[in-house]
Amino acid sequence: MLEVRDLFFRHKRDNREILLGITFSAELGEIVTILGPNGSGKTTLLKCILGVWSPYRGEILFSGKSLLKKSPSQLAKIFSFVPQDHELSFPFKVMDIVLMGRARNLGLFSCPSSRDEEIASKVMKLINIGHLKEKNYTQISGGERQLVLIARALVQETPVIILDEPTAHLDFKNQIDVLRTIRKITKEKSKIALLTLHDPNLASLFSDKIILLNSGKKIAEGKPSEILSEELIKSVYTIEVRKITVDRNSLIFPLNT
């Protein structure tokens, strides 16, 4: 289990409070989405969990053990990360990008082994991008690039995958394809997927649990059907909405458009 307990964070440069007592948990096989408007603290929370930034109060634990004083190499055995966007200047092949996820298993001057390549090939096949392995990363579509980054995270073989806005800049089809892939690997590989999203409806369709943030505070936590109420969404996003249930999924639609 991943646990975040009473987490507070402020920027040292201006002493501005960004996170105010965030607490939640996530279990293996669970997709947990951090939802909220711009400036609510979603990305800051991910950076604290990943060890990029240090909270001034609170605790982050995995399997009951604190992570706050772990080294980057130790954290790399627990977390893999899929960024919101990733631009490369050099035309690396897709297989080379995926193999970068094996770096923590290699020595300073080592090259990927046949075992590393086998793991990479299996992961790419799992998420249906095996046909891309010889293509240049700079010449594939945005949706395909996002799947490549997910494959790179998977070959790291960590129990937790953290994804910052994995559907940003993607069209509707690719948004669905990427989120279906995240759901597939989370369930089949029994991992924790912790992701941020802006869209309440995508969060509803693909999440087991939603953490709703606003202005650095946790407003609510629970199943999508519990979190996506008209009152909560109106209070956080300051717009009038209507909740509609379709095939047991709660969907939110703006009014007066």
Side-chain angles (χ1 to χ4, degrees), residues 2 9 82 119 132 246 255:
L2 175 67
F9 176 82
V82 179
I119 291 170
L132 297 177
V246 180
L255 299 179

Side-chain angles (χ1 to χ4, degrees), residues 201-233:
N201 290 326
L202 288 177
S204 174
L205 292 170
F206 291 96
S207 307
D208 296 303
K209 182 193 292 183
I210 292 175
I211 313 296
L212 184 61
L213 299 187
N214 194 25
S215 300
K217 298 179 181 178
K218 186 180 79 171
I219 305 302
E221 174 183 354
K223 296 178 180 179
S225 59
E226 300 166 347
I227 300 304
L228 298 182
S229 69
E230 294 174 2
E231 295 77 13
L232 268 177
I233 296 301

Side-chain angles (χ1 to χ4, degrees), residues 2-221:
L2 175 67
E3 298 175 83
V4 175
R5 296 180 183 173
D6 201 29
L7 205 68
F8 286 78
F9 176 82
R10 68 164 71 100
H11 283 302
K12 292 181 180 179
R13 63 178 180 269
D14 57 9
N15 217 32
R16 182 166 52 97
E17 299 279 3
I18 305 298
L19 300 178
L20 298 161
I22 305 297
T23 296
F24 71 92
S25 63
E27 299 183 0
L28 293 175
E30 193 171 50
I31 300 172
V32 177
T33 297
I34 303 167
L35 182 68
N38 289 335
S40 59
K42 300 188 300 296
T43 298
T44 298
L45 178 56
L46 294 190
K47 287 183 176 181
C48 287
I49 293 170
L50 288 165
V52 177
W53 289 344
S54 299
Y56 71 87
R57 194 171 118 196
E59 192 63 89
I60 301 169
L61 306 101
F62 185 73
S63 296
K65 297 180 180 179
S66 175
L67 302 180
L68 290 181
K69 294 184 179 180
K70 298 287 187 183
S71 67
S73 61
Q74 289 173 317
L75 291 174
K77 296 178 181 179
I78 299 171
F79 301 119
S80 51
F81 177 58
V82 179
Q84 185 178 132
D85 202 4
H86 186 245
E87 294 293 336
L88 281 177
S89 301
F90 299 101
F92 288 100
K93 292 189 182 299
V94 164
M95 174 60 93
D96 295 330
I97 299 294
V98 174
L99 282 170
M100 290 177 187
R102 300 295 296 168
R104 72 176 179 88
N105 301 290
L106 303 176
L108 184 60
F109 299 106
S110 300
C111 294
S113 66
S114 58
R115 172 64 176 156
D116 294 320
E117 293 182 359
E118 180 184 351
I119 291 170
S121 294
K122 284 183 177 179
V123 166
M124 293 172 70
K125 184 178 179 181
L126 173 69
I127 60 177
N128 299 317
I129 59 169
H131 62 288
L132 297 177
K133 68 180 190 176
E134 294 302 320
K135 290 187 174 292
N136 289 336
Y137 180 79
T138 53
Q139 295 176 345
I140 60 178
S141 71
E144 289 170 335
R145 284 200 299 270
Q146 199 66 9
L147 291 174
V148 171
L149 296 181
I150 291 172
R152 185 181 67 176
L154 276 177
V155 301
Q156 200 172 324
E157 297 186 315
T158 62
V160 184
I161 302 176
I162 295 181
L163 308 99
D164 188 14
E165 289 289 342
T167 60
H169 317 304
L170 300 182
D171 63 28
F172 181 66
K173 178 184 182 301
N174 280 311
Q175 288 178 357
I176 299 303
D177 286 347
V178 165
L179 290 171
R180 280 175 174 164
T181 298
I182 293 168
R183 182 171 60 188
K184 176 182 179 181
I185 60 182
T186 302
K187 303 305 180 183
E188 290 185 4
K189 299 293 185 178
S190 192
K191 295 180 180 290
I192 294 171
L194 180 64
L195 58 149
T196 61
L197 288 174
H198 279 296
D199 189 331
N201 290 326
L202 288 177
S204 174
L205 292 170
F206 291 96
S207 307
D208 296 303
K209 182 193 292 183
I210 292 175
I211 313 296
L212 184 61
L213 299 187
N214 194 25
S215 300
K217 298 179 181 178
K218 186 180 79 171
I219 305 302
E221 174 183 354

